[in-house]
Amino acid sequence: MGAKIHAPVAGGVDFGGTLASAYAANLHSRIASRVLWRVGQGGYRNEADLYDLARAVAWEQEFSTDQTLRVDVTAHRSPLRSLQFATLRIKDGIVDRARERSGARPSIERSQPDVQVLVHLKEQSAQLYIDLSGEGLFKRGWRAEKGEAPLKENLAAALLMLSGWTPQKPLLDPFCGSGTILIEAASMATGRAPGLQRHFAFEKLRGFDRAAWSLMRQKARDSVDDRAMMQIVGRDISTHVIELAIANARRAGLEMALQNRSLVFEAGDARTGEPIADHGMIVTNPPYGEQSSPKSASVESMMADVAAQLKRKFPGWQAWLLSADRSLPQQMRLRESSKTVLFNGPLECRLFRFDMVAGSMRRQSAKERNARAQKLGKQSTPE
Ligand SMILES: C[S@@+](CC[C@H](N)C(=O)[O-])C[C@H]1O[C@@H](n2cnc3c(N)ncnc32)[C@H](O)[C@@H]1O
């Protein structure tokens, strides 16, 4: 994207580059939540310092007083007592500067502002940003239909990237819901940039280079390959959500893949579903207890049945499961080869990797027999 990465920071990446690389990050990044442009920074001790910092930025170069504005402040270890007051003073700094220079001021709008300013306060320093994305980048512009607990699109893409899936590998999501993981996968396989179907906040800024942006979008459109080879299958027990997944895939521009059945959504029960190839990958987000209340024993016993089916029918497959339930490996009586902590919104989850090996059913059941025997105080017999 032409960006130079400076450093990873909490929850993000600090990078530099031209505005074009910021456009490209918005258009092409599958995992970013938003792209922010740092327009000012400095030390502060109180709200008056924040006012001065805000007033020192040449906002008039970036937007006009006819445009609506919103200011948000986040803080980590800030000594200030009221973030609301800090926000007010920053807004005053921006507005006073505008009034002084042009006699007019931008009006503040909370719900759909033209320009969004974000300020992040650390213990002693503040950073001022203009949001270049607008709506969160997980919004690709195709989702109209939500199933139960859909994943954000950028988290779905992150699961695929962490799993090492590539379009050559058959991919199955046996709990596909509204299809998020597989729609991301098919978009990757067809080279469809995630931001092709939406607008961005940078389009409303003064320095917006419409010609460069049109060219970049056109290039991205031209590099879509609707006939790319892939074998991607989604199943869900609910026929209703399967319909939603198909409708979502259509809106995401994947009609051709649906037609030539390289992307398939079908109703099916994960406890009895058959593999779609000899080897392949499962990347999925099964239901977990926290999502249904009370924490349900039926989900646990279902996952035990799913595990039995995987052991029986899926040797050679790699299964990646995202769950908030830490006891998932125990429920499935499988040992994970790796686990990665990820946040699904506020919910701490783990991405477990299980390698299904031939004969694991037999080994597992021997283990289970031993465990049961030990529980009963008997000597276990090695097998
Ligand atoms: C957490 S949701 C998956 C959400 C999905 N990742 C998305 O983004 O929309 C879990 C899904 O599992 C489905 N499900 C529950 N039990 C199932 C079973 N035995 N077999 C297949 N699907 C099942 C539910 O209908 C639900 O859509």
Side-chain angles (χ1 to χ4, degrees), residues 148-151 174-178 180 236-237 268-270 285 287 291 302:
E148 170 202 329
L151 284 182
F175 298 97
C176 73
S178 57
T180 320
D236 199 284
I237 202 154
D269 188 331
N285 165 219
Q291 286 170 333
M302 177 186 72

Side-chain angles (χ1 to χ4, degrees), residues 113-128:
D114 295 322
V115 181
Q116 201 171 340
V117 168
L118 290 165
V119 179
H120 184 61
L121 305 179
K122 293 189 194 164
E123 199 168 356
Q124 296 179 339
S125 66
Q127 304 192 304
L128 291 80

Side-chain angles (χ1 to χ4, degrees), residues 143 145-152 156 159 173-181 235-239 241 248 267-272 284-288 291 302 306 322 344:
R143 184 189 293 280
E145 314 281 2
K146 291 186 188 175
E148 170 202 329
L151 284 182
K152 280 190 177 160
L159 301 185
D173 179 352
F175 298 97
C176 73
S178 57
T180 320
I181 297 173
R235 297 184 184 138
D236 199 284
I237 202 154
S238 153
T239 47
V241 300
N248 279 333
D269 188 331
R271 290 169 288 197
T272 51
T284 193
N285 165 219
Y288 29 86
Q291 286 170 333
M302 177 186 72
V306 170
L322 180 76
N344 181 5

Side-chain angles (χ1 to χ4, degrees), residues 51-105:
Y51 175 89
D52 291 341
L53 273 176
R55 201 174 165 138
V57 175
W59 304 103
E60 63 281 359
Q61 290 176 9
E62 318 309 339
F63 54 90
S64 81
T65 49
D66 302 334
Q67 290 178 292
T68 56
L69 177 70
R70 169 174 160 172
V71 179
D72 286 295
V73 177
T74 58
H76 182 63
R77 294 170 181 245
S78 167
L80 299 186
R81 280 218 210 106
S82 160
L83 285 193
Q84 223 173 347
F85 186 48
T87 311
L88 197 68
R89 293 307 288 151
I90 291 165
K91 204 180 63 197
D92 288 345
I94 301 173
V95 167
D96 287 354
R97 180 184 174 108
R99 214 188 270 128
E100 204 177 77
R101 289 177 181 248
S102 66
R105 51 159 291 175

Side-chain angles (χ1 to χ4, degrees), residues 290-315:
E290 275 77 359
Q291 286 170 333
S292 50
S293 54
K295 188 171 161 150
S296 91
S298 60
V299 171
E300 291 196 16
S301 78
M302 177 186 72
M303 289 315 290
D305 292 346
V306 170
Q309 177 72 352
L310 291 179
K311 291 169 201 169
R312 236 191 329 262
K313 297 284 180 73
F314 289 72

